[in-house]
Amino acid sequence: MTTAARPPLPLIPAKLAAPSIHPGLLPRPRFDEWLQRLPQVRLAVLQAPSGFGKTVLASQWAAAFAGAVAWLNLDGNDNSPRQFGRYLLNALHRQLEGGCPQCVNRAEQGDDGLDGLLTRLLAELPAEHPPLLLVLDEFEALRNREVIAALRFFLRNTPPWLTLLVCSRGLPDLGVAELRVKRQLLALDASHLAFELDEVQALLELGLPIAINREQVERLNRRIGGWPCALQLTLQEVQTGRGMDLFLEALQLGHPYVRDYFREQVLYGLDGATQDFLQSTCLLERFSAPLADRLTDSCNGREMLENLERSGLFIQAVDPLRQWFAYHPLFASFLRNELSTHHPQRMGELHLRAAEALLEEKMAEEAARHALLAHDPQRVAQILETHGRHFYRQGRLELLQRCLAVLPESRVAESPLFTLLQAWASQNQYQSDQVERWLQAGEAVQREQFSAEQWQRIEAEYQAVRAQVAINQGDQQRAMAFARQALALEPLTMRTSRVAALSVLAESHFVQGELAKAQQQHEENVRRAQQINASHPVLWSLGQLSEIAVAQGHLQKAYNLQERALQYIEQEKLPVTPIMEFIHRVRGQVLLEWHHLDAAEQCALQGLEILDTVGDHWFLQCYVLLARVAHARGQQSQCADYIGRLKTLLAGDDYHIDWQANAHAVMLTYWDSTQDKDSIRQWLATAPPLKPGANHFAQGNARNHVRAYLALNQGDRALPILRQLQLDAERHQLVMDQNRNHILQALAYWQREERQSSLDHLHQALTLASGTGAIGSFLRLGKPLIAMLKALQHERRLDELEHQRAERLIQLAQQQRDFSRAIRITLDEAVIQDIINRPDVPELIRHSPLTRREWQVLSLIHAGLSNEQISEHLNVAPTTIKTHIRSLYQKLAITQRSEAVQLARSLLSKIQGE
C-alpha cells in the first residue's frame, strides 16, 4: 500500500514581502550611485554584522529600483531544498508578467530536486525582460550546502536582466571572487554601511527633542563606530543635553541594552572555541594571527580570523594587507566586560601574555599598557629601561606617568633615567612641587653612584626640568638660568634634555617679547630634535614658531608652519599624541581669524578627538574655539552650551594665563551679545590682573578688561589700558596685537561719539589688516562695525586693498546674527542713507527723515526694549526718550508701538542679517 505524499504547507505571505519603509527614515543619497549600478551586475551583496541596516538599505533600493522586485525573507526552514525552491519560484513568478507556471507547479508537487527545479526555471525564463531585482534577505540563515550550491549554479546562469541582491551577516559562498574579477559584483560591507558624521547629525536632528552640537555628534560616532543600531538606541534614550552626556558615558562603560543585544544577536549560537577566541583577543586594540596564537595557545589564528569575518561578527581588518584586525569598539567593550565578569582570573594572565607577545612584535607602547593592567611592576620597569626614552621623545607622557606610578619610589630614586622620566611626566601635569620632590630624592641617592664629571652632566639634565617648571610658573629669569646650565654640558642620560632646555630658552624670550631670538632658537630646536628623532619637541617648536608668526602678523606663514607639522606627522607615520592637538588648535585659530568657520570647527573637533582619553582638563582650548565658531555663526544655544563647559573647567582647575585669556575673551563676547551685564561685572571683580603687554597672552588678558569696560559703557576706563597696550605692542613688534588694539580703540572712541579718533584707529586697523589678513577680530565688534566702516568709506580715502577688505567686512557683518533681538548699532548717516535709498522704503520717510537719534530709538523699540531700557542703553533721561518717540511717531504717521516694531523690522532687517 503506497502512502500519499504530504501536501506542502501554504506559503507565508510575510516571507515574500519587502519590509515597509518608515516614513521618517533618513535618506542616504551617497548610496544612489550604487543603486544605479544594480542592473549592471549579476550579484550585489550587503554584508555586515547585525544591526548595520542591511535590510533597510535593501528596502530603500527596492522601492527606488527601475524595474520589478522579488523579495524573499529567509529563515532556518529554508535549508530544506524543497521549501527554498517553492519560495524562490513563487517570489519570481509573482513579478514576471508571463510568470513561470510550469516550474511553480513542479515545485508544489516536489517531483524535482532543487538542481533540476532551477534548471527548468532557467530554461523557462525569457531571454529578454525589463530589469528585475531578486532580494534574498538574512542569507546567513542558509547553511545547507545543497541549497547554496544550487543557488550558485542558478546565479552563474541567470539572464542579464536579473540581479540577485543578498543581505547577509557573512560573505555568501556564491562565487564572489570570480564575479569580482568579471566586474559582475557590487559589494558593500560594514565600512560602507556605517553612518558618516553628517548622517549621524541629520538623524539626531530629525529624531531628538534637543539641539545637539557637532562635538557631541563626533564623540557619539567615535563610541558607536557608525553602528546604526546604536543610533536607534540613542534616539530612544536621549531626551536632554545632560542625557546625551550620560548616554555617552554609559556606552563607554557598557550600556545594558547594548550588552543584551550582543548576547542575543551575536554570541548566541557560537561554539565554545569561537567564544574563547573572542575573549582571549578582546583585550588587544588590534591583533594579528600570530598574536592571537600566542594568547590562545593554538596555531589556527588565521583560520579563526577568516571564519569570524565570513560569519559576519563585529571584526574588521585595519590594514590593506588584512594582517591586522580590530573589533568594533562597542563589541570590544562588551567582550571585555563579559571576560571580567565571568572569567576575572584570566584577565591578569592574558594581559601578561599580551605584553610579552607585543614586545616580540616591537610594539612597546601597547606592551607597556598590558604590563600595567597585568599589575607586573618588574615587567613595567624592564620596558621603561629599554623604551622609556622613546616614549618621552614621542610625547607619551601620560603612559610614562602611569608606568612610573606602579614602581616603588625607591626604584625611581635610584635611577637617573626613571627620575628624569618621572620629573618630566609630573611637570606635564603642572605638578611643580612633585617635580622638585622627585629631583631631590634622586639627587640624594644617585650622587655617590657617579663620578664628579658624570654627576655634573646628570645634574644639568635635572636643571632642564627645573627650567621648564620655572617657565610654567612665569619666572622667566629663573627659567633662563636653569636652561643655560642645562645647555652647558652634554647630557648623560637623555639626549632630549638639551633640546628641552633650548625650548625653554626660546619660550622665555617669547614671553618677554623678544620674538626674533625666540624664533631663531625654536628653528634650531626643530633641527636638533629631528636629528635625534624626537617628534614631540619637533611638533612643539613648530607650533611655537607658528604662534610667533601670528604675533608678527604673518598668518599665512603661521598656516604654512602648521602644514609643515602635519606633513611631518604623516611622513613619520607618528601615532596620535596630545601635542598634535596643539597644532590643530593653533591652525583653527588662524582659520577663525580668516573667518573660515567650518575649517576652524573641524580643527577643534580633531583636537578633541586626539584628547579623547587624556582628561577634560585639556579640552578648554578646543571648547574656546568651538564657542567662537558658534558665536560667529549666531548659534546661541550651542554657544551657551560651550560657555557652560568653559565655566565648569575654569572653576575646577588652574590654567595658564594664555588659556584663561582665550576662554575669558569668548565668554565676555557672549555675555555682551546676550546683554548679561551682571556676569561681566562679576568677571571684572575677579579678573586676572593686568601685566605689561610683552606677549600675546598679556595683551589678550588686558583686552578682556577693555571689552568688559566697553560692554558696561565705561570707555574712560578702557582707553588708558588700550593706549598702554598699543605702546607695548609697538615696542615688541606684536603686529597682530597692534591690529586688534586699533580695532578696539576705534570702538571705544565710536561709543564716546569721538568720530574722527574712531575712524583714525579703524583706518590704521584696516591698513594693518592688508598685511595680517585679519577678519575675525573686526567681526567681533558685531553690528557697530557696519556703521563704522561705512563712515570710513564715506569720509576717508582708502586704497584698493583697504576698500575691498572694508566691503568684505561689511558683507560678513550684515550676515552675522545677533543673539539678542536688538540691532545694537550706532546708526551712522552713511548707514541711514543706505536704508533710505532702498526701493521698498516708504516715501514718507524720504520726505520727512528721522534724525540719527530717532533711528537709534526705532531700532531699540524693534528689539523689544522698554522706554526705561532705551534710556539706560543710550544713557539719556527717560523724558528725552519719550520726546524722541513722539517725534518719530508723528513723522511715520503711526500711533502704536506694534506699528513701529513692524516698520523697523522691514527697514533694519538687512543690517541685522536676518
Side-chain angles (χ1 to χ4, degrees), residues 482-558:
F482 282 135
R484 290 190 176 107
Q485 291 176 42
L487 288 166
L489 296 170
E490 283 293 326
L492 182 67
T493 310
M494 293 173 61
R495 290 188 295 169
T496 47
S497 294
R498 294 195 76 190
V499 171
L502 184 58
S503 175
V504 170
L505 207 58
E507 193 173 351
S508 299
H509 286 304
F510 177 65
V511 170
Q512 295 177 69
E514 299 169 344
L515 299 187
K517 287 183 179 179
Q519 179 179 336
Q520 180 182 6
Q521 287 166 340
H522 274 304
E523 287 171 348
E524 172 65 14
N525 214 41
V526 171
R527 186 184 66 79
R528 290 189 182 187
Q530 285 180 318
Q531 287 177 342
I532 60 173
N533 297 317
S535 64
H536 185 269
V538 169
L539 295 175
W540 171 255
S541 284
L542 286 174
Q544 290 291 326
L545 283 169
S546 77
E547 289 205 317
I548 292 170
V550 170
Q552 295 170 330
H554 305 316
L555 267 65
Q556 185 60 56
K557 179 181 178 182

Side-chain angles (χ1 to χ4, degrees), residues 249-266:
E249 184 179 345
L251 282 177
Q252 196 160 16
L253 297 174
H255 196 287
Y257 293 168
V258 174
R259 290 201 302 266
D260 291 345
Y261 187 94
F262 281 136
R263 286 195 190 105
E264 180 182 314
Q265 295 292 323
V266 183

